[in-house]
């Protein structure tokens, strides 16, 4: 049984690429967002917004039960480092996208300015990568830049990373050094 995690910030292509990887391998997709809702592992946010918080304990035990089914899985979602343990997965693909492209995605999705700023800041700082590194064994992790790659190309490089440790890179993606040439992105998140 193999479990592959596809994670990253909103808008990087997790669901599209995760579904394509699962199709290529004939694995089942486990969407963490849907999973926690279907397993009553959420509760309303106390900040008055319509968002939900995740009951990590309830979700963790529901996932353990799901894993007992013994299916090969592609687990998709930004919640992975909060709900899974290193011994539960074989490979973690962190998808990253250049902030300029994320702005375009978020505008199409009609994100609020504050939500856009929050997610772009997390992408620039590599917050998801940091959270993954804190949770999973370093040898299981690889980062991938989805900024200009097609879905089929992403499937190919993720499968290479799954098969060969030498194809796994981490800590190479650095948006901060590139942003000095994109002052409008910095102005956007800082204003």
């Amino acid at each position: 049984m193999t479990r592959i995690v596809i994670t990253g910030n909103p808008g990087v292509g997790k669901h599209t690429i995760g579904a394509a990887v699962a199709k290529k391998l004939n694995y089942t997709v486990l969407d963490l967002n849907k999973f926690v809702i279907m397993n009553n592992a959420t509760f309303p946010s106390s900040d008055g917004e319509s968002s939900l918080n995740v009951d990590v304990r309830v979700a963790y035990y529901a996932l353990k039960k799901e894993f007992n089914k013994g299916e090969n899985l592609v687990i998709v979602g930004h919640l992975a480092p909060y709900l899974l343990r290193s011994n539960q997965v074989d490979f973690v693909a962190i998808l990253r996208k250049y902030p300029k492209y994320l702005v375009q995605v978020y505008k199409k999705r009609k994100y609020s300015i504050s939500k856009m700023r929050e997610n772009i800041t997390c992408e620039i700082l590599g917050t998801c990568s940091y959270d993954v590194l804190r949770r999973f064994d370093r040898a299981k992790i690889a980062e991938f830049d989805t900024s200009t790659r097609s879905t089929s190309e992403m499937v190919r490089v993720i499968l290479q990373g799954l098969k060969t440790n030498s194809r796994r890179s981490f800590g190479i993606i650095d948006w901060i050094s590139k942003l000095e040439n994109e002052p409008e992105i910095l102005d956007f998140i800082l204003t």
Side-chain angles (χ1 to χ4, degrees), residues 35-36 39-41 54-64 83:
F35 183 85
V36 296
N39 285 276
N40 298 314
V54 176
D55 185 326
V56 174
R57 187 173 170 274
V58 171
Y60 175 77
Y61 286 108
L63 281 165
K64 278 183 75 171
L83 302 180

Side-chain angles (χ1 to χ4, degrees), residues 36-103:
V36 296
I37 291 168
M38 289 174 41
N39 285 276
N40 298 314
T42 61
F43 57 94
S45 176
S46 61
D47 61 8
E49 294 198 19
S50 61
S51 60
L52 296 172
N53 290 317
V54 176
D55 185 326
V56 174
R57 187 173 170 274
V58 171
Y60 175 77
Y61 286 108
L63 281 165
K64 278 183 75 171
K65 194 174 183 180
E66 184 71 23
F67 291 164
N68 286 336
K69 294 179 182 177
E71 291 182 287
N72 291 316
L73 296 172
V74 174
I75 303 165
V76 178
H78 71 284
L79 296 171
Y82 314 110
L83 302 180
L84 301 169
R85 307 292 182 263
S86 191
N87 66 348
Q88 295 176 307
V89 302
D90 300 289
F91 179 58
V92 181
I94 307 165
L95 306 186
R96 308 282 308 270
K97 187 174 274 194
Y98 191 63
K100 176 174 66 175
Y101 299 114
L102 280 179
V103 169

